[in-house]
Amino acid sequence: GEDVEQSLFLSVREGDSSVINCTYTDSSSTYLYWYKQEPGAGLQLLTYIFSNMDMKQDQRLTVLLNKKDKHLSLRIADTQTGDSAIYFCAETGSSASKIIFGSGTRLSIRP
Amino acid sequence: NAGVTQTPKFRVLKTGQSMTLLCAQDMNHEYMYWYRQDPGMGLRLIHYSVGEGTTAKGEVPDGYNVSRLKKQNFLLGLESAAPSQTSVYFCASRGSSGNTIYFGEGSWLTVV
């Protein structure tokens, strides 16, 4: 079945780059997503990547997709205190109708 | 354009009571979803719908029922609430050709 795995915590120093990793099991996923959730709020779409792409860059965000290893990563350059949040990886799954989420990675920023 | 709206936002229920969460979207989306979010467990899919009149089970459907009588609305029902159903519930929608999922703001449910 479909499964998405992420590490639960990441701590980085302000100004450094953050790299959040995700592995998934369904090789037929069409889209893979990164969402951000701030405390007490809903989910905000950060970026997505189509499964036939290797990389996507959007300002401070870089998404890398390794289809062979079923590995997705999100790099945030020049991490700021406003980047503190939980980051969720998600995939569409084989049916393309379901969206399956990982457990989320809590990013904390050290001064 | 309101997007995805969930009601109510907060609710406290006693064990055994029933209630319905309403999700409404004004984007004419085909797909609608109900998720629950628990600490350290991310979002787990409860039920989803691929169009008006259709529903399907997700990862954790037990204890919940859903209906999609109108395309714009997706209702989540708890027939006999249990403390294990204390959670934050999120509704989401997506167009059939779209790659973006739109989320509601969440409904905080506590069962005592």
Side-chain angles (χ1 to χ4, degrees):
Chain A
E2 301 114 342
D3 194 22
V4 178
E5 305 243 344
Q6 303 176 238
S7 54
L8 289 181
F9 301 101
L10 177 65
S11 176
V12 299
R13 197 182 305 275
E14 188 175 1
D16 287 352
S17 292
S18 305
V19 180
I20 304 171
N21 295 301
C22 168
T23 57
Y24 59 97
T25 56
D26 194 334
S27 58
S28 60
S29 291
T30 308
Y31 292 102
L32 296 118
Y33 304 86
W34 284 105
Y35 277 81
K36 177 184 181 182
Q37 185 183 35
E38 297 184 35
L43 278 80
Q44 171 196 354
L45 177 65
L46 283 179
T47 187
Y48 66 90
I49 189 167
F50 192 53
S51 58
N52 68 354
M53 298 169 65
D54 297 325
M55 186 182 88
K56 181 177 181 181
Q57 187 149 6
D58 184 1
Q59 298 182 331
R60 291 191 299 125
L61 304 179
T62 303
V63 178
L64 295 177
L65 175 60
N66 181 331
K67 283 196 73 176
K68 175 174 169 291
D69 294 338
K70 298 178 193 167
H71 183 267
L72 183 74
S73 67
L74 173 70
R75 178 177 179 270
I76 305 173
D78 187 24
T79 308
Q80 302 298 308
T81 54
D83 295 324
S84 291
I86 301 176
Y87 291 81
F88 291 95
C89 169
E91 61 163 352
T92 51
S94 58
S95 68
S97 56
K98 292 195 289 185
I99 313 292
I100 305 298
F101 284 80
S103 55
T105 299
R106 184 180 296 275
L107 176 64
S108 62
I109 315 301
R110 307 191 300 273
Chain B
N1 185 350
V4 180
T5 305
Q6 295 179 225
T7 52
K9 287 193 168 34
F10 301 95
R11 184 76 187 268
V12 178
L13 280 179
K14 292 183 179 178
T15 298
Q17 284 186 316
S18 63
M19 77 158 294
T20 301
L21 294 173
L22 169 64
C23 177
Q25 52 93 4
D26 59 3
M27 298 171 281
N28 201 36
H29 282 169
E30 295 295 330
Y31 298 128
M32 295 188 75
Y33 308 87
W34 274 108
Y35 291 90
R36 60 177 288 173
Q37 184 178 24
D38 303 291
M41 301 194 71
L43 277 80
R44 291 182 292 169
L45 183 63
I46 305 171
H47 285 280
Y48 66 102
S49 168
V50 300
E52 181 179 318
T54 75
T55 63
K57 293 180 180 179
E59 301 168 87
V60 288
D62 294 342
Y64 304 95
N65 56 73
V66 287
S67 63
R68 184 98 183 267
L69 298 179
K70 293 183 180 180
K71 187 177 184 179
Q72 64 267 34
N73 295 336
F74 195 30
L75 278 65
L76 178 71
L78 286 72
E79 288 188 348
S80 180
S84 61
Q85 294 178 303
T86 294
S87 189
V88 184
Y89 291 85
F90 286 99
C91 176
S93 73
R94 179 169 72 101
S96 57
S97 58
N99 47 37
T100 301
I101 315 155
Y102 296 84
F103 278 87
E105 294 185 344
S107 296
W108 274 254
L109 176 65
T110 301
V111 183
V112 297

